[in-house]
Amino acid sequence: MKKLLLLSFFAFIGMSQTNAQWGFCEPDLIYQDSSFGVYPPPLSATNPDGGITEKACVNSDFFFVFTIKIPNMIETTVLNINVDSIILETAEAAEIAGTEGAILNLPAGMTYAMNPSGGIFTPADSLACITIFGAPQVANTYDLKIIMTVYSQDLAIFGGSQTFELPSNLIPGAEGNYYLEVLPNGDPSCFVDTDDILASSFAIRNLPNPFSDFTNIEIVADYS
């Protein structure tokens, strides 16, 4: 029983790390009733707590999720656009084309993935998400931009589509920046003692043992 629980424990940790590494994401349902935009909202003078609040470290895995609200209509400072679809270039397509793709200014060592994975979003989807992930290689502050193309019959004069760079001053509430700060190796904020993650030893037992209908799982850790 102990071996089975221990293997399940580490299998769960491994599965979680693998999902993050692959860039799997789920949109945050808290933004279901929001207007068009990328969330969390960008960092700006009116939103000092916005943007990417977590810091990355050189050669360390980093993972961050943007939620995109897909509306029926986008209100801009120029005109209102009834949305047919919104398309973002996938990382795979960008690699083939030799472009930066849907996320500009990502540090070397990082990439992105989307849900839906094909990068085609419609108002029926309501919410989508983009995850940036990987191990950045160079310490710096990166001003990230999200590039998306909106398709609409209202844009016939522009050939049926228009490309937007978010954050954007053209869309009320979407102004600001998404700064990703990558700290150098050796920065105190990047140092994590292994004792903070795993104790030097631990034991797992279930009480009562043997049991029939239910049991309590007890984990005893030793940091000495």
Side-chain angles (χ1 to χ4, degrees), residues 35-36 71 73-83 170-172:
S35 58
F36 170 70
M73 176 184 289
I74 299 174
E75 298 181 4
T76 75
T77 57
V78 179
L79 77 163
N80 293 339
I81 304 171
N82 290 292
V83 177
L170 294 175
I171 302 171

Side-chain angles (χ1 to χ4, degrees), residues 5-220:
L5 290 172
L6 189 60
L7 289 173
S8 299
F9 176 72
F10 283 111
F12 173 77
I13 293 178
M15 182 172 61
S16 299
Q17 292 175 338
T18 299
N19 282 341
Q21 184 176 4
W22 287 348
F24 177 78
C25 68
E26 289 286 353
D28 192 335
L29 297 180
I30 195 174
Y31 302 115
Q32 183 72 52
D33 298 324
S34 301
S35 58
F36 170 70
V38 178
Y39 297 91
L43 173 68
S44 65
T46 57
N47 188 31
D49 296 324
I52 303 173
T53 55
E54 293 89 350
K55 292 179 173 59
C57 297
V58 169
N59 295 329
S60 296
D61 288 335
F62 181 80
F63 179 78
F64 188 84
V65 175
F66 296 103
T67 294
I68 302 176
K69 170 64 178 181
I70 312 299
N72 291 301
M73 176 184 289
I74 299 174
E75 298 181 4
T76 75
T77 57
V78 179
L79 77 163
N80 293 339
I81 304 171
N82 290 292
V83 177
D84 294 332
S85 64
I86 296 176
I87 296 181
L88 282 75
E89 187 176 26
T90 66
E92 293 79 8
E95 183 176 0
I96 294 172
T99 63
E100 286 192 84
I103 310 290
L104 302 186
N105 305 327
L106 266 179
M110 294 190 67
T111 186
Y112 66 93
M114 295 177 280
N115 181 15
S117 60
I120 302 175
F121 309 149
T122 66
D125 297 324
S126 184
L127 290 177
C129 61
I130 304 176
T131 173
I132 57 173
F133 61 100
Q137 299 175 4
V138 179
N140 206 340
T141 298
Y142 299 84
D143 190 6
L144 304 187
K145 308 291 183 183
I146 300 175
I147 305 299
M148 58 183 64
T149 301
V150 178
Y151 289 82
S152 170
Q153 295 181 2
D154 297 334
L155 297 170
I157 191 174
F158 302 107
S161 66
Q162 184 68 39
T163 298
F164 289 90
E165 179 183 285
L166 296 178
S168 172
N169 293 328
L170 294 175
I171 302 171
E175 308 90 344
N177 299 89
Y178 284 115
Y179 293 122
L180 172 59
E181 185 175 356
V182 179
L183 303 175
N185 266 333
D187 188 285
S189 297
C190 297
F191 179 75
V192 179
D193 194 325
T194 54
D195 285 343
D196 293 336
I197 302 175
L198 292 176
S200 58
S201 64
F202 61 89
I204 300 177
R205 65 177 180 175
N206 64 292
L207 298 171
N209 187 5
F211 67 92
S212 56
D213 296 332
F214 68 92
T215 187
N216 292 322
I217 305 299
E218 181 180 275
I219 300 176
V220 179

